[in-house]
Amino acid sequence: MRNIALKLMYVGTAYHGWQVQKTIATVGETLEKALATVVCHPVKCTGAGRTDAGVHAQVYIANFRTTSTIPCDRIPLAVNTRLPEDIVVVKATEVPDSFNAIGSCVKKEYTYRIYNSRLGNPFYVNRAWFYPKPLDEAIMQAAADRFVGTHDFAAVRSVGTETKTTVRTVHYFNVKRTGELIECSVCADGFLYNMVRAMVGTIIYAAEGKFPPEAVSDILAGKNRTAAGPTVPPGGLYMTNLWYEEDVL
C-alpha cells in the first residue's frame, strides 16, 4: 500500500470547505471521487486542515493510500482531467507510511485579503473582502504584533467549538498594503476554528478606533470572544503556505 501526498490549489467559493459532508459539495469529497476513478478503488483523503465554506487555498496538502502502481508524475494530469476547473492537483509525491497531511504539518500560513477602496471591484468578488472605509495599515500592524507569540487564543475562536487546548504559537502576523489591497498573513503552529478571521476582525476594530492596538493583549488575556472583533467573511481567506519535513511542496 503506497502513501501518496498531493499538493493542490483550489478556489473555495463553490464548496462547503474541505471536510467531506453527507449532502453538500466539499473539496475533499470532490477530490476523493476523482482519485477513485484514477486508482480504481475507493479513496479516503486526509487534508492539511479544515478550511471553511468559501475559503481558498493557494497551497494545500492531502494524502491518501492506494494499491495502484500509477507513477506519481502521472497522477496530477490524470486526476485533473476528472476535477472541476476550480481544483487543481500540481504535484504527487510518494511519502513514508507515517506521513499525515495534518499531523506531519509543522506550521501553516493563512493570508486574508481586504480590498480597501471607496468603490468595489468585481474582480475581487469572493476573492477579497470589500471594505470601503479607510484603513490605516500601520495601526493594523501594531495590533497584529500583539498576537505574536504563545498565547491562549480563546478570545478569537468560534464559541462552542471543542478543542483540547486553545493555546497556540503565532510566529508572525504581517500586514502589507499594495495599492488598495491589504494582505494580512498569519503563520502559526496551528489554528482554532475561525481564529484567523477573528484576528483580522480584531485588528480592523483597532484601525477603526474602537480600542487601541495595545488592548489586544488584554483581550487575549480575558479569553472573552465578545471583547474581540468580528469574524470577517470567508471569501478573503486563503491557505498560502505549509511546512513539512518531507519534500511535498
Side-chain angles (χ1 to χ4, degrees):
M1 185 75 74
R2 301 159 73 203
N3 190 11
I4 306 294
L6 299 177
K7 179 183 178 182
L8 58 145
M9 59 177 71
Y10 58 83
V11 172
T13 306
Y15 303 97
H16 291 261
W18 165 267
Q19 195 78 4
V20 174
Q21 300 184 44
K22 289 183 179 179
T23 57
I24 47 182
T26 67
V27 179
E29 177 194 34
T30 305
L31 178 62
E32 286 178 358
K33 286 181 176 178
L35 281 168
T37 66
V38 172
V39 300
C40 300
H41 63 75
V43 168
K44 173 64 179 173
C45 286
T46 298
R50 287 186 63 174
T51 54
D52 300 334
V55 173
H56 319 293
Q58 287 180 204
V59 177
Y60 195 90
I61 296 292
N63 73 289
F64 71 101
R65 286 173 168 77
T66 181
T67 54
S68 171
T69 58
I70 181 172
C72 284
D73 60 356
R74 289 177 53 192
I75 293 176
L77 185 59
V79 178
N80 288 337
T81 59
R82 295 160 171 85
L83 284 171
E85 292 179 333
D86 49 10
I87 305 173
V88 175
V89 174
V90 297
K91 183 181 178 183
T93 307
E94 189 160 352
V95 289
D97 189 63
S98 59
F99 179 87
N100 179 287
I102 188 166
S104 301
C105 188
V106 179
K107 55 184 179 178
K108 305 174 184 178
E109 180 194 74
Y110 282 93
T111 299
Y112 194 86
R113 296 184 171 122
I114 303 165
Y115 187 69
N116 186 214
S117 174
R118 190 171 60 86
L119 299 174
N121 184 327
F123 292 100
Y124 283 115
V125 172
N126 294 322
R127 303 291 189 279
W129 184 29
F130 170 49
Y131 196 89
K133 292 187 283 185
L135 289 170
D136 186 332
E137 63 272 19
I139 295 176
M140 293 171 69
Q141 183 65 69
D145 289 341
R146 297 281 172 159
F147 284 107
V148 177
T150 302
H151 307 285
D152 188 325
F153 286 92
V156 283
R157 68 152 178 171
S158 286
V159 176
T161 53
E162 295 291 330
T163 184
K164 288 181 181 178
T165 175
T166 50
V167 174
R168 298 289 186 273
T169 298
V170 170
H171 300 291
Y172 59 77
F173 189 176
N174 298 329
V175 180
K176 177 180 131 182
R177 178 188 283 273
T178 305
E180 293 165 316
L181 188 68
I182 298 175
E183 294 187 305
C184 308
S185 298
V186 188
C187 175
D189 60 354
F191 292 92
L192 303 168
Y193 186 54
N194 283 339
M195 178 173 155
V196 176
R197 290 161 59 194
M199 289 168 70
V200 172
T202 301
I203 67 173
I204 286 177
Y205 261 24
E208 289 180 339
K210 288 185 166 64
F211 44 72
E214 54 269 22
V216 170
S217 297
D218 295 330
I219 290 170
L220 285 175
K223 305 178 187 179
N224 183 356
R225 178 68 189 91
T226 60
T231 301
V232 295
L237 186 61
Y238 298 71
M239 182 176 278
T240 45
N241 211 344
L242 295 162
W243 285 262
Y244 293 90
E245 292 181 1
E246 294 82 2
D247 183 20
V248 294
L249 296 168

